[in-house]
Amino acid sequence: MSWVYVASAAYCLTALFLMSMTFLEGAQARASWNLYRFAGLLVCLFWPVLVLYLMFKMVFKRSVAEQ
């Protein structure tokens, strides 16, 4: 099994978890299906990328500051 498969599976599971939590939050609030609710679900697909970006930024900033 390649690391790409593992990374893809982790990304998909994380995005699916975030989307389900957002969906359940809207269902619990009995929110109507408007543009903001759809946008919230769509943004859940990009959260894992943002977290990875911030982690890499912190690692590289720390390694540059140590030199």
Side-chain angles (χ1 to χ4, degrees), residues 3-57:
W3 66 271
V4 176
Y5 293 129
V6 174
S8 298
Y11 183 86
C12 289
L13 287 174
T14 305
L16 182 64
F17 174 74
L18 293 171
M19 287 181 76
S20 65
M21 289 289 112
T22 303
F23 175 78
L24 290 174
E25 182 182 0
Q28 184 180 14
R30 292 187 171 86
S32 62
W33 284 97
N34 56 15
L35 180 63
Y36 295 113
R37 191 160 177 201
F38 281 117
L41 290 172
L42 183 65
V43 166
C44 289
L45 294 174
F46 300 109
W47 271 105
V49 172
L50 179 61
V51 169
L52 288 175
Y53 172 75
L54 291 175
M55 284 176 28
F56 283 124
K57 258 321 213 190

